[in-house]
Amino acid sequence: MGVLAQVSNSSALQQNLHQKGYETETQRGLQWSVVEDWLICYDDEKMLVLGPGARADHDALRKEMNTLMHQGENENALFASLQERNGFFKSVADMHLLSTYFSDFGKMFKNKGFSPNELFLHASLDSEGKELFMNVELLTENDSLLSLFNELDASFHQIQGTNTSGFVTNSLCWFGINVTGDKLLEQMRSFPQIRTMLLALNMCVDADLMLKSIDGDVTISIPEISLLTTPSVLLRAQLNNTDFLEKSEDWKTGFSADAGVDFQEYTPTDFSLRYKGERYFFGVYEGHLYLTNKRDVVEGLKREPLLSTVYDEAANVRFYSSIDASRMLKLAATYLLWLGAPAPLYELLDDVERVNLKIYDSRHYEFELKFVHELKEVVSRSIEQSAD
């Protein structure tokens, strides 16, 4: 592991090392010191630390560190690209490092015929007011890798952020994408709760035909979670047609009461299906298909003027998720205390309002924490509590 830091006063650094009992020496125009198993070298501008390493390996490390310390500004492409980034913390690495620690990641690259060191990861942290951002970007000059990324981007369109009536504004968490019905089927089956609803629907209705009518923005939201009951789930999807409703008369005869299936029609566009003791509600409302496991969710989306402020932030990205962290943490409060979480950590988490994830395309990601108060105030208070 290596650390590079800027030096403002090399004499003070040397004095500090001496005060702590560590000797320094001058070699090849650089000051050198050994702290435990770490090798340190510095000059008037910068300090490089590498380790931990066996003392027998220090001669080889010195040679490598000397080369690194004397290289020109333009000799290191990674460092040059790092300088172009914004943020109070910036990092860059080739993905070979990740493949070393995460073997499955390396296998994925090898199966695709790529080498991990052909892909570079940039990550940076920045803040503004009550928000903390982490931006991640994947870079490569490999044409085959670029083609793979373009193929992934072609599978998902940008969220339009229009026709949002019917979205529950105060959801505990929700996920947004823009896809066609065929692609959506693959995504839905990755959610156990949604997958169960699909199995129940197909006992009576042609769920595939419904889903193939989807073309546009899709949201999956969880309005509420209780530790004692099954969480409610709501799927909302923009439709390009409602032709499947023409077969609704056939749905009434497509089930078997003996098999524990019960079908109900409330209106020409609102239905429900009971399967194995669970009832699922589905239908069409204002040009959108809805699917949920709770009746009150259906009543809610027809009763309120539903235009989400967070949905506006989702426009023009390919994937967006938002979690109401304050409500989620209230659910987790007892568990955190049981784990013995330190008070400063608990206070810091309690100050988080929302957690958002934006995926602009297959190479650009943004993770966002929104706090109740100014970030500087949150950090200062946490430091004071830690000191106490």
Side-chain angles (χ1 to χ4, degrees), residues 23 172 234 242 267 300 310:
E23 297 181 355
L172 181 66
L234 171 65
T242 57
T267 74
V310 282

Side-chain angles (χ1 to χ4, degrees), residues 67-83:
T67 301
L68 292 172
M69 289 289 285
H70 286 101
Q71 68 182 347
E73 293 183 2
N74 298 322
E75 291 182 41
N76 191 322
L78 286 180
F79 185 76
S81 64
L82 189 64
Q83 297 295 88

Side-chain angles (χ1 to χ4, degrees), residues 227 328-341 346:
L227 298 177
M328 187 71 78
L329 286 169
K330 287 179 181 178
L331 290 171
T334 303
Y335 186 62
L336 279 173
L337 291 173
W338 179 75
L339 287 176
Y346 182 77

